[in-house]
Amino acid sequence: MNALEIHKLGKMYNNTKVALLDVSLEVPEGSFFALLGPNGAGKSTLINILADTVRPSSGSISLLGHELFLERAWCKRRMGVVPQEIAFDPFFSPREILRFSRGMYGQKNDDTWVDELLERLELTEHAHKITRQLSGGMRRRLLVAQALVHRPKVVILDEPTAGVDVELRKRLWDFMRELNAAGTTILLTTHYLEEAEELCDHVAIIDQGKVITSQSMQALLGDVASSSLYLRYAHTLQLSSQDRAALAGFYPRINQGQLCLTLNKLGETSNFDQAYQLARQCFGSPLTVTVGQEDLEDVFLRLTGEKKSEKQGGTTG
Ligand SMILES: Nc1ncnc2c1ncn2[C@@H]1O[C@H](COP(=O)(O)OP(=O)(O)OP(=O)(O)O)[C@@H](O)[C@H]1O
Ligand SMILES: [Mg+2]
C-alpha cells in the first residue's frame, strides 16, 4: 500500500500565483522519501496542505487508503507534521507542549515516551525552560518531538534540520532511521542533498510547482545519472552567462567548489575531450580533473537547470 497518494494537487495563491500544478506523487508505505526542489518550488505548500494549514485549489490526497479531505480526524491521528515555520506559545515549556499535544490527539499521557523524545532530541536539560528561552535549533528539535508525540505512522518533515548543528543533525537522522526501520514512513524536504542521498530510498524533485521526477533513489542514480567531469581550479569559479552558453550542452554547474560538466551516460562513448577543451578555453587549465558518476546534487542541479533553460529558451525564442 502507499502511505500517501497525491492526485493532481493544485494550489493557486490569491488567484494569481500557481504554487502547485497537477502534482501527483506516490509515497510507498515504509519508505524514506525525499521531496526536493529549489526555493519556491512548492514543497512547503504541499506539506502545509497535508498539515491542513493551506487549502488546496484542486486534487485529492489519500493517506493509508483514507481520503485526507474527508477523513481528517482519522488521518491526523496517523500523521505527524513538522512545519518549516516555527510557532510556539512562548510561555510553555517543551514538556508541557508535548503533554498538551498528546491530549490534542485524544491520547493519554505517556511520560515514558515524552521523556524518550526529550532525550533523543537532546532537550531533556531544556525541558522546563519556557520556549521563548530556547535557541532556534532547540525549537526546531521541539517541533520534531511534537510531531512524533502521538506515534504517527507517517511523519512529514519540512526542513527538520534547518539551523540544527552538524552533530545534532546526525543524531536526529539516526533517530529518523530507527523510526523508519520500525515501519514509520518518512517524507522530508531538505536542501542537504548529500544527506538525502545517504538516508532516503525514494526521491521526488519538484520545480515551479511541477513534478520533474519521482522514483527510487537507486533508479534515479542508476538510470538517470550520467557521468560527470569535475574540474577543480585554484579558486571557486563564477559562471557568467557567456560561460554557460559556451558549455551549454554539458549543463555546467558548480558543485562543492568544482566545475562540474555532464558527459554522456557511463558506458556510452564519452565526450570527455570536447568538454575538457571547452572548459580550458573558458577558464584555463584546471588543477585536477576527475570523472565520476553523478551524485544526487549533480542530478538535481542538472534536472532543475534543464527546466530553467527550457523556460529561458521559451521566452527568448
Ligand atoms: N501565502 C502565500 N501567498 C502567496 N504566495 C505564496 C504563499 N506561500 C507561498 N507562496 C509562493 O508559492 C511558491 C511556493 O512556495 P513554497 O513555500 O511552497 O516553496 P518551497 O519549495 O517550500 O521553498 P523553500 O525551499 O524556499 O522553502 C513560491 O513562489 C512562494 O512565493
Ligand atoms: Mg519551504
Side-chain angles (χ1 to χ4, degrees), residues 117 120-121 148 171-179:
L117 282 175
R120 292 305 303 263
L121 293 158
L148 297 174
R171 277 182 257 167
L172 181 72
W173 289 139
D174 285 342
F175 188 29
M176 293 302 130
R177 239 196 279 253
E178 274 175 46
L179 290 171

Side-chain angles (χ1 to χ4, degrees), residues 55-212:
R55 196 188 292 268
S57 310
S58 55
S60 64
I61 298 175
S62 83
L63 179 105
L64 299 165
H66 290 248
E67 285 299 312
L68 181 68
F69 304 135
L70 302 176
E71 299 173 74
R72 266 288 174 197
W74 190 95
C75 293
K76 266 190 179 163
R77 281 200 296 276
R78 285 156 186 87
M79 182 168 63
V81 185
V82 178
Q84 185 171 8
E85 299 299 327
I86 303 183
F88 288 114
D89 189 317
F91 298 106
F92 289 112
S93 70
R95 189 180 295 282
E96 285 166 331
I97 287 172
L98 295 181
R99 282 204 178 135
F100 294 156
S101 300
R102 270 191 77 87
M104 289 210 315
Y105 291 108
Q107 292 183 343
K108 281 197 303 229
N109 243 343
D110 181 349
D111 281 335
T112 318
W113 178 234
V114 167
D115 284 341
E116 189 180 336
L117 282 175
L118 289 168
E119 187 69 42
R120 292 305 303 263
L121 293 158
E122 325 231 354
L123 288 167
T124 307
E125 61 176 296
H126 311 292
H128 297 288
K129 294 181 182 167
I130 57 171
T131 56
R132 211 170 55 165
Q133 297 166 332
L134 300 179
S135 74
M138 292 171 196
R139 283 181 218 180
R140 175 83 49 202
R141 271 140 50 210
L142 176 57
L143 270 187
V144 176
Q146 196 181 17
L148 297 174
V149 78
H150 56 300
R151 295 183 186 271
K153 296 285 295 164
V154 181
V155 178
I156 296 156
L157 309 117
D158 199 352
E159 293 186 36
T161 53
V164 174
D165 71 50
V166 185
E167 188 66 17
L168 285 168
R169 215 158 70 213
K170 284 197 181 122
R171 277 182 257 167
L172 181 72
W173 289 139
D174 285 342
F175 188 29
M176 293 302 130
R177 239 196 279 253
E178 274 175 46
L179 290 171
N180 181 244
T184 310
T185 305
I186 298 184
L187 169 83
L188 60 85
T189 76
T190 181
H191 290 288
Y192 295 106
L193 299 188
E194 239 181 280
E195 294 179 355
E197 180 172 343
E198 199 187 312
L199 282 163
C200 300
D201 49 31
H202 281 74
V203 55
I205 299 177
I206 65 172
D207 194 9
Q208 297 169 26
K210 289 185 223 154
V211 179
I212 300 181

